[in-house]
Amino acid sequence: MRNDTTLKLLLAQPERLLRELLDEAVAVKQFLPTDLKAGSLHVDLLIELMDGRIVHIELQGYPEAGFGYRMLNYRLRIRQRYNQVPLQYALWVGKGRPRIASGIQERGHRYQYPVIDLKHVDTRLFLDSASLKDNLFGLLGKLADSRAEVVRLLRKIAGLDSKARREALETLVVISGMRGLETTLAEEIQQMPIVYDLSKSIIVKRLVKELAAVEADKRVARTIEGKLAEMREILRQEGREAGREQGREETARRLLTLQLQQRYTKVPVKFARKIASADLATMETWALRLMSAREIDEVFA
């Protein structure tokens, strides 16, 4: 994964991260080969400390059902090669809460390792470092003011030469995507055109395009919210005037169908049938889903 590669490059000097993980100051002797000679089996980071200990760090940003068994496989392979059980850590670098196992617990078998969510780790040492690589990695940690940190990094990147500026900015785009700061970054880039000529970077152009799409989605959502309020008002009036549940349902069917046609042009027959037989509560649920759905299937999921 590109994200893994980016993080490995940023951790060329991992002492600060190791201090946070081990809760002690350590010195790195060397990076060990990550290829464990078992097909395509590669660990993310394998580090030998000056005191002889071996630390294995796995970077994970997406859910994986068999993650615990993969970590166990790594442990056994490392033990076999170096005749030593490694200290293992799984770092969650994805959005939201960690969605990976912290080990394996089965009948007669227990194996564990720490899963650490970088969003809750104090990375101030990285953010305050003179190294831009440290600063970029620090953006994945606990931030008092994420926008201020993004602005500070952009200003630092602006002072680099053209090639270094391009590479650093594209790395910042990747890190921001992992941290959920894409919109913040795109907004600040547009306020600081000196950072980099956007026309030369495909990845940055894509970021700005995605921001425009987000803004368009917000406008659509506001329109739908207004229509929903209008629909509720009509339903209240229908209820008072007709006093019949059937009248309210028919009004809801008509308005929901109109909204679907406005958003998706055509309502497939299978969904039209669902609307025709749905009760009022179900149609209100569909109307709420319509606010954020990109595809019509998501409305009726």
Side-chain angles (χ1 to χ4, degrees):
M1 287 182 61
R2 175 172 183 170
N3 291 355
D4 291 354
T5 302
T6 298
L7 291 178
K8 291 178 204 176
L9 292 174
L10 295 181
L11 286 171
Q13 296 180 322
E15 284 84 358
R16 287 187 177 87
L17 176 60
L18 291 170
R19 178 192 294 184
E20 293 296 326
L21 297 180
L22 278 67
D23 196 26
E24 61 179 287
V26 296
V28 172
K29 181 178 181 180
Q30 63 178 327
F31 283 90
L32 298 172
T34 57
D35 179 0
L36 297 180
K37 305 295 183 184
S40 59
L41 198 63
H42 289 75
V43 297
D44 285 337
L45 290 169
L46 197 58
I47 302 166
E48 183 181 7
L49 306 181
M50 291 299 293
D51 61 13
R53 287 179 293 173
I54 293 176
V55 181
H56 164 218
I57 299 173
E58 204 62 24
L59 306 161
Q60 191 76 5
Y62 56 90
E64 182 180 338
F67 185 77
Y69 291 95
R70 180 155 66 88
M71 288 291 283
L72 178 58
N73 196 4
Y74 288 153
R75 174 188 172 106
L76 295 174
R77 297 286 180 177
I78 295 168
R79 170 69 175 81
Q80 184 179 40
R81 174 178 289 189
Y82 297 103
N83 196 32
Q84 181 182 153
V85 175
L87 299 172
Q88 289 185 294
Y89 297 89
L91 299 190
W92 177 256
V93 294
K95 299 177 184 178
R97 62 178 181 79
R99 288 178 288 168
I100 50 176
S102 60
I104 301 171
Q105 291 202 28
E106 298 175 334
R107 194 171 189 178
H109 179 203
R110 182 177 180 183
Y111 158 65
Q112 289 186 303
Y113 47 83
V115 173
I116 298 169
D117 188 346
L118 267 183
K119 293 188 294 298
H120 301 309
V121 173
D122 184 357
T123 53
R124 177 53 52 187
L125 286 174
F126 291 87
L127 293 169
D128 292 341
S129 169
S131 165
L132 180 58
K133 288 184 177 181
D134 280 351
N135 302 158
L136 288 164
F137 185 82
L139 200 62
L140 290 168
K142 184 167 58 177
L143 305 175
D145 187 338
S146 57
R147 186 174 292 273
E149 295 299 344
V150 167
V151 170
R152 190 158 70 104
L153 276 169
L154 284 172
R155 288 174 178 164
K156 192 169 186 177
I157 290 170
L160 302 175
D161 62 63
S162 178
K163 182 175 183 295
R165 189 164 63 237
R166 183 184 69 249
E167 293 174 351
L169 185 56
E170 294 189 352
T171 298
L172 179 56
V173 170
V174 174
I175 295 296
S176 296
M178 298 167 68
R179 191 63 169 81
L181 298 173
E182 307 98 315
T183 300
T184 299
L185 177 60
E187 290 171 349
E188 294 302 331
I189 283 176
Q190 292 182 101
Q191 297 298 317
M192 300 175 63
I194 190 174
V195 172
Y196 185 60
D197 180 356
L198 297 179
S199 66
K200 295 181 181 178
S201 174
I202 293 174
I203 192 168
V204 175
K205 284 172 65 179
R206 186 185 307 131
L207 177 69
V208 174
K209 183 177 179 181
E210 288 174 357
L211 173 61
V214 168
E215 292 302 321
D217 284 344
K218 287 180 181 177
R219 288 194 294 272
V220 170
R222 286 194 293 270
T223 299
I224 293 172
E225 285 173 0
K227 294 295 183 182
L228 282 171
E230 180 183 330
M231 183 179 77
R232 291 190 185 100
E233 179 59 28
I234 292 173
L235 288 173
R236 281 193 291 269
Q237 292 175 5
E238 287 286 328
R240 284 194 297 267
E241 293 170 4
R244 298 198 309 265
E245 187 71 13
Q246 182 179 357
R248 298 179 65 202
E249 289 179 352
E250 288 303 319
T251 303
R253 287 191 183 93
R254 177 167 54 83
L255 288 173
L256 179 57
T257 301
L258 286 173
Q259 292 305 309
L260 288 167
Q261 289 172 340
Q262 180 181 354
R263 182 82 178 270
Y264 303 107
T265 306
K266 184 178 179 181
V267 181
V269 173
K270 63 179 180 179
F271 296 137
R273 288 174 178 166
K274 284 190 173 185
I275 294 172
S277 61
D279 58 24
L280 186 59
T282 301
M283 286 187 283
E284 287 182 340
T285 298
W286 291 339
L288 290 172
R289 288 180 186 168
L290 179 58
M291 292 175 60
S292 59
R294 291 183 179 275
E295 302 296 336
I296 193 169
D297 300 63
E298 297 174 26
V299 176
F300 300 91

